Amino acid sequence: MAQIPRLFIRTALHEGAEITLDRDHAHYLFGVMRRGLGDPVELFNGQDGAWRATVSEAGKRGGVLTAEEQVAPQRMPPDLWLLFAPIKKARTDFIVEKAAEMGAARICPVQTDFTNAERIRQDRLQAHAVEAAEQCGGTYVPEVTDLVPLSRMLDDWPAGRRLLFCDEALAGEVRDLPAERGPWAILIGPEGGFSDAERARLRGMDGAHAISLGPRILRADTAAVAAMTLWQSALGDWT
Amino acid sequence: MAQIPRLFIRTALHEGAEITLDRDHAHYLFGVMRRGLGDPVELFNGQDGAWRATVSEAGKRGGVLTAEEQVAPQRMPPDLWLLFAPIKKARTDFIVEKAAEMGAARICPVQTDFTNAERIRQDRLQAHAVEAAEQCGGTYVPEVTDLVPLSRMLDDWPAGRRLLFCDEALAGEVRDLPAERGPWAILIGPEGGFSDAERARLRGMDGAHAISLGPRILRADTAAVAAMTLWQSALGDWT
């Protein structure tokens, strides 16, 4: 059974909609995936659910798909942001991919006192989020924001958004998530942990909540998946 | 603050124990990490806890460490096996690394009906588990077993060991973990999922329990971390 390719596109989807493929999508569908006229493709745009479409024109540098039928309703993720401190390139890519799979609504790279990265390739990370959404069967792609200092983000912190942070100093202590629905963010520290100043500020914040992720030190990408699992299974769309 | 290197060794640790380094460890400590005489190193062997040692001889192809003081007690993980179907090389490496970080006691690659891999490099995977244990501050290295068919493993399934498997067909359905402590295993399917025959067999097994990992399809490495998080926080050593 050949898998039906899934593509995220940026145009409206409705019955009979004709979607003009850009060069990258045409290369992927016809070159990499070897699809041709009449073959099925699944499309989503983050708003109109998932649609079955078929290839109505195929060329080396372009093509056209025609949308036929909605096959899944639009499903928005819970209002959860994932804040993380970018680390080595491969791990950063993994964190973005995993945040998209796990159903983050927004992915925010932040500079902490112990973050190495001075800049990120936002476009590349956004492309990873798109690819993960295509792969995981979702109908939504989280926005990847530009790198900003954590301190500035906390200065402008939105009223009412709770913040879950993973505090290695708590190892072994049990802390349950408060049963508070609504907007949340998860903050994953860099490999060197938070600075004392950052930890003090986080602990003093209204609506901030520290949890432990067990007695072993988790790499940042592992910690991101673990923290999102706890949140999704207690407060998110896994329940 | 320079980080103290951690090494897993295979000899006994006690006060005054002299540990002869093999070539790989000597290269890592003196070549890569640039350590020298008198520098501290942390050692563990899976039995005697973590020990502070210092470099008492350093050479290009060898060296000696002297153990001085136990700095952490031996900590065994809960009796949890992680069974997974090996996929692409990089993802397989990640699963082993994450299973060690998350505190699996044993890591078992299994061949399922839809597994691609015919064989694995057990020694390479075991080395990944060692490296992850060194990195995550643990005192235990899970054994990575050889690849065996899932069906054979189920034929010989140990009495009393419960089995948690992640069933994509359950997406959206809530299934809490039963509050049953004791030996467990988590089974992560391959990217193509389980075959109908496998799913039927798993569902009919005594002590087998299906859970959902949310409405999106998770890659196998993400699913492994998510399932181990649910288990560790409910029944393992995070509580």
Side-chain angles (χ1 to χ4, degrees):
Chain A
M1 182 188 67
Q3 217 184 338
I4 296 177
R6 298 187 86 238
L7 292 182
F8 172 73
I9 57 164
R10 295 182 187 279
T11 53
L13 285 165
H14 51 82
E15 199 183 319
E18 301 205 325
I19 296 94
T20 304
L21 294 174
D22 64 21
R23 193 170 172 153
D24 286 348
H25 275 164
H27 171 72
Y28 171 74
L29 270 190
F30 309 134
V32 179
M33 300 295 283
R34 305 272 168 194
R35 300 307 147 107
L37 284 178
D39 282 341
V41 179
E42 192 172 306
L43 300 174
F44 64 106
N45 61 9
Q47 296 181 336
D48 300 321
W51 284 73
R52 193 191 60 217
T54 53
V55 177
S56 42
E57 285 180 41
K60 277 200 176 168
R61 297 180 183 186
V64 175
L65 305 177
T66 304
E68 292 178 344
E69 190 188 4
Q70 198 192 43
V71 290
Q74 180 60 33
R75 177 165 195 138
M76 303 305 279
D79 188 1
L80 175 67
W81 297 354
L82 182 76
L83 280 59
F84 76 99
I87 35 175
K88 287 170 225 155
K89 180 176 168 300
R91 299 268 167 193
T92 299
D93 292 352
F94 262 97
I95 289 178
V96 168
E97 171 192 302
K98 267 125 194 53
E101 279 178 56
M102 294 291 298
R106 183 184 285 195
I107 301 170
C108 310
V110 293
Q111 264 172 324
T112 66
D113 291 345
F114 298 156
T115 303
N116 299 317
E118 294 297 315
R119 57 193 182 80
I120 54 161
R121 283 281 308 273
Q122 188 276 338
D123 56 340
R124 201 172 50 79
L125 295 182
Q126 186 65 66
H128 275 289
V130 167
E131 200 183 319
E134 288 171 346
Q135 170 107 9
C136 78
T139 50
Y140 176 84
V141 175
E143 178 197 5
V144 181
T145 57
D146 257 329
L147 185 68
V148 293
L150 174 63
S151 57
R152 195 193 305 160
M153 198 146 182
L154 296 182
D155 289 343
D156 302 333
W157 195 250
R161 183 171 295 272
R162 286 166 192 279
L163 178 66
L164 186 67
F165 70 102
C166 305
D167 192 342
E168 286 173 4
L170 287 180
E173 228 179 284
V174 185
R175 299 258 183 135
D176 281 328
L177 275 177
E180 301 282 353
R181 300 208 175 238
W184 274 87
I186 291 174
L187 168 61
I188 301 294
E191 290 196 357
F194 295 110
S195 68
D196 289 343
E198 284 168 340
R199 192 175 282 113
R201 180 166 186 187
L202 289 166
R203 285 185 174 160
M205 256 178 82
D206 267 355
H209 189 82
I211 52 162
S212 154
L213 296 174
R216 288 158 296 271
I217 300 164
L218 304 183
R219 282 182 168 99
D221 53 334
T222 315
V225 175
M228 296 186 77
T229 299
L230 293 178
W231 191 89
Q232 285 285 22
S233 64
L235 300 170
D237 65 7
W238 291 19
T239 58
Chain B
M1 181 188 70
Q3 217 183 340
I4 296 177
R6 298 187 87 240
L7 292 182
F8 173 73
I9 57 165
R10 294 182 188 277
T11 53
L13 284 165
H14 51 82
E15 200 184 317
E18 300 205 326
I19 296 95
T20 304
L21 294 174
D22 63 22
R23 193 170 172 153
D24 286 348
H25 275 163
H27 172 71
Y28 172 75
L29 270 189
F30 309 134
V32 180
M33 299 295 284
R34 305 273 168 193
R35 301 307 148 108
L37 284 179
D39 281 341
V41 178
E42 192 172 304
L43 300 174
F44 64 105
N45 61 8
Q47 296 181 336
D48 299 321
W51 284 73
R52 194 191 60 216
T54 54
V55 177
S56 42
E57 283 180 43
K60 277 202 176 167
R61 296 178 184 186
V64 176
L65 305 178
T66 305
E68 293 178 344
E69 189 188 6
Q70 198 192 44
V71 291
Q74 180 60 33
R75 178 166 194 135
M76 302 305 278
D79 188 0
L80 175 67
W81 298 354
L82 182 76
L83 280 59
F84 75 100
I87 34 175
K88 288 171 224 156
K89 180 176 167 298
R91 299 268 167 193
T92 299
D93 292 351
F94 262 97
I95 289 179
V96 169
E97 172 192 300
K98 266 125 195 56
E101 280 178 55
M102 294 291 299
R106 183 184 284 197
I107 301 171
C108 311
V110 293
Q111 264 172 323
T112 67
D113 291 345
F114 298 157
T115 303
N116 299 318
E118 294 297 316
R119 56 191 182 83
I120 55 160
R121 283 279 309 272
Q122 189 275 339
D123 56 339
R124 200 171 51 79
L125 294 182
Q126 186 65 65
H128 275 289
V130 167
E131 199 184 319
E134 289 171 344
Q135 170 105 11
C136 78
T139 50
Y140 176 83
V141 175
E143 178 197 7
V144 181
T145 56
D146 257 328
L147 185 67
V148 294
L150 174 63
S151 57
R152 195 193 306 159
M153 196 146 183
L154 296 182
D155 288 344
D156 301 333
W157 196 249
R161 183 171 295 273
R162 285 164 193 280
L163 177 67
L164 186 68
F165 70 102
C166 305
D167 192 342
E168 287 171 5
L170 287 180
E173 229 180 284
V174 185
R175 298 259 184 136
D176 281 329
L177 276 177
E180 301 283 351
R181 300 205 176 241
W184 273 86
I186 291 173
L187 168 62
I188 302 293
E191 291 197 357
F194 295 110
S195 68
D196 288 344
E198 285 168 339
R199 191 174 284 113
R201 179 166 186 188
L202 288 167
R203 285 185 175 159
M205 256 178 82
D206 266 355
H209 190 82
I211 53 162
S212 155
L213 296 174
R216 288 159 296 271
I217 299 163
L218 304 183
R219 283 181 167 99
D221 53 334
T222 314
V225 176
M228 296 187 78
T229 299
L230 293 179
W231 191 89
Q232 284 285 22
S233 63
L235 299 171
D237 66 7
W238 291 19
T239 57

